[in-house]
Amino acid sequence: MTFLQTTAIADHSLHDVLILGCWCLPEESATIHDRLPVPIRFEKSAEYYREQRDYLYYSTVRTLAGWLNEVHHVDRPEQYWELILFTFLEPYVSDFYIRSLILESAYQRISEPCVLILPESQYSVPVTASDLSKRIKTSDRFNLQIFSQIATAAGMRVRRLSNVQASSYPAAIGPRRSLLRSAYALAHRLKRGLVSDSLMSPPADRSGGNQIALLPTHFSTAALRKLLQDEGLALSTPTFDGASLPESAPDLNLRYTLARFTFDSRLQSRLVSSLVHNLPMDFVENFAHHLGAAKGCALSRPSVIVAGFFAGLQSQIWAAEKQLEGSRLVLVQHGGHYGEGFFAPREVIERRLSDKFVTWGWAEEEDENLPAPRLQPFHSAGSRGSKLLYVMRELSRLPNYRMLNGCSSEQPCGPLPEIKFFDSVAVEIRRRTVIRLRTDKRASVSIQRVWARRYPELKIDEGVRGIRYALAKARLVVVGYPCSTTFLECLTQDIPVIVFAPCLRVTVRPDALLLYEQLADVGIVQTECAEMASLVEAIWNDPVEWWKEPGRREVREQFKQRFAWAADLDDTVGWWRSFLLRESKRRMPG
């Protein structure tokens, strides 16, 4: 009998074990098992898998909306619950779906394997959405739990493991790193007037009605506040009670009522069943606490809510409550990939949930184009650092939704493009290179070991400080993936940049592909590591001269106008002032 191992666990007594992929091998294990050379085979088009993922997401939203109304004895519309759930549910559905495809693909190629699973008695329930996200990215044990749920619900032959020991790794950003990042960011924003005035001003007036609520948007509020005051409007940031959660335990009897739902799709049934244990407690057992904190917010009647992203569940609940009462919800693009990436479910969801969606230049239909505060120029044109900054794509030991983009499912253990690039580039350039990691903690440790052994001269930037500090010291930037925010920031700061994008046709949507191909024609986008290394060597002495070549400048300006609209502070504030005045007059709370 062949035993199928789905994620990294401690050595066990079984010998005939077949492992799914590179993520199944813990670093400390010396045991070698046979491995499927390609853990997943995509038999259909990327469009098919995207449509299936979207169906799973929307079906689950409808199910959870009805169930949560029953659990919390309320009658809220589906959109209310989706606004509260989507930041957790959208990535979870993608991660669950890709694991289902992996297990199904293996099962079709192996004659009835016996899947090694975790007993249900050892399942754990995450407390928060961020807790769940970190577990999916870094915890072998939690991924074993998800694979176990899929295998059991699918009726596969299973063998329950007892006393499972899986490697335990710290979260991607530990407390010390988080504090350092926050301190650096706050100091930088205070220096430049970019910090939200809520940190230094008294609580907002409860009377509201002429209030505009500003959630995190990478925005300068000081200049905008002054202009809006002249129009009789006040710009405020809602704050919430920081009281600690009361101690509670998962109510499994309540949670098992989720399993009563039936669906035409077996995959949908498995997904909803998995939420019995995987739905964070914040949405069930702890929801009343967060709802009370949201309702206690002093800013009670804003006319407009502007959000680049939600900092926590209480802000999402508050926004959902205020939207029900008549406040207009404006959601703002807050990074790259929007408008460009082929697989971009978050963008679609945010556009549907908002009363107005703001983009950085590629607006469609009822969207609004506005200059991006995040892309506001900060770099002194003509100044030049001395470093080559290499910004890596995000890596994870465990499978993630990027597999649906057609990228190799063996990325975590195969030869990294970064290694191919640095093998080809001159040693003197490597000595002046800083690698910016964008990865989970375990992958980070593994990658640093690779660099230390192979290229001891490279410097590692773990991302404690903001990217702008690294950009300010860069002579040339190489971004290891397309549709990145860093690429857009380099364009608006006029910093020479090269993008490595070997799979354009499966990562970039058709209406952005032409512009990317034009960037490739002038060398800004590269598809081969060796050719990219040759280009870096050729332009290293004066990358600015290469960057400012007229034909190359024309192409990047076209791309920037479409996807990276930026302006100086005065113009940015002026555009946003006009927009917020219009929005505040469209609908007021009743």
Side-chain angles (χ1 to χ4, degrees), residues 398-435:
L398 295 153
N400 58 44
Y401 77 90
R402 284 172 178 78
M403 291 184 180
L404 296 177
N405 271 348
C407 297
S408 168
S409 53
E410 285 289 295
Q411 274 187 351
C413 69
L416 298 174
E418 290 78 10
I419 292 179
K420 296 180 182 180
F421 170 76
F422 286 113
D423 276 348
S424 303
V425 80
V427 175
E428 50 269 28
I429 294 179
R430 291 207 301 265
R431 293 193 181 111
R432 301 176 74 173
T433 295
V434 175
I435 294 183

Side-chain angles (χ1 to χ4, degrees), residues 158-222:
V158 298
R159 175 160 179 169
R160 289 172 177 80
L161 298 166
S162 59
N163 299 319
V164 173
Q165 294 182 357
S167 301
S168 178
Y169 290 85
I173 300 177
R176 180 175 178 274
R177 184 176 173 188
S178 295
L179 290 172
L180 282 173
R181 183 192 292 274
S182 299
Y184 280 127
L186 179 58
H188 175 68
R189 296 177 75 194
L190 281 168
K191 182 179 178 181
R192 301 189 60 247
L194 295 176
V195 70
S196 169
D197 291 14
S198 67
L199 295 175
M200 299 171 286
S201 61
D205 182 5
R206 276 186 182 274
S207 59
N210 63 344
Q211 295 276 351
I212 294 177
L214 186 67
L215 294 168
T217 53
H218 301 282
F219 207 95
S220 168
T221 62

Side-chain angles (χ1 to χ4, degrees), residues 248-310:
S248 61
D251 186 343
L252 292 180
N253 289 329
L254 175 64
R255 287 170 168 267
Y256 276 121
T257 61
L258 257 178
R260 77 176 189 271
F261 293 97
T262 58
F263 304 92
D264 294 334
S265 165
R266 288 177 293 179
L267 184 57
Q268 180 66 37
S269 297
R270 297 168 198 167
L271 173 60
V272 172
S273 295
S274 75
L275 291 172
V276 168
H277 288 91
N278 298 349
L279 183 64
M281 292 175 62
D282 274 357
F283 301 109
V284 187
E285 293 82 0
N286 299 334
F287 185 78
H289 169 85
H290 295 300
L291 178 62
K295 288 187 173 181
C297 176
L299 183 55
S300 59
R301 299 183 63 200
S303 56
V304 182
I305 301 169
V306 183
F309 56 90
F310 291 100

Side-chain angles (χ1 to χ4, degrees), residues 514-542:
L514 177 60
L515 288 173
Y516 266 95
E517 289 176 338
Q518 290 174 349
L519 290 172
D521 290 340
V522 297
I524 294 176
V525 168
Q526 294 287 317
T527 59
E528 298 292 338
C529 291
E531 293 180 6
M532 184 167 69
S534 297
L535 174 62
V536 169
E537 290 179 351
I539 67 175
W540 178 248
N541 288 333
D542 194 354

Side-chain angles (χ1 to χ4, degrees), residues 79-154:
Q79 178 167 322
Y80 171 93
W81 289 112
E82 186 177 5
L83 183 57
I84 292 170
L85 291 166
F86 84 97
T87 52
F88 135 75
L89 190 59
E90 179 270 314
Y92 178 77
V93 169
S94 298
D95 289 327
F96 184 91
Y97 183 40
I98 197 66
R99 282 156 180 74
S100 297
L101 290 175
I102 288 170
L103 199 52
E104 187 177 284
S105 178
Y107 205 75
Q108 290 173 350
R109 286 182 283 164
I110 307 167
S111 179
E112 296 189 0
C114 186
V115 184
L116 302 177
I117 69 166
L118 188 69
E120 186 174 336
S121 60
Q122 295 188 32
Y123 288 177
S124 61
V125 177
V127 176
T128 67
S130 61
D131 181 25
L132 173 70
S133 175
K134 290 174 182 176
R135 292 191 193 191
I136 289 177
K137 289 181 179 179
T138 64
S139 170
D140 293 316
R141 187 186 183 91
F142 193 74
N143 276 272
L144 179 58
Q145 174 173 318
I146 296 177
F147 277 115
S148 301
Q149 291 165 332
I150 296 170
T152 303

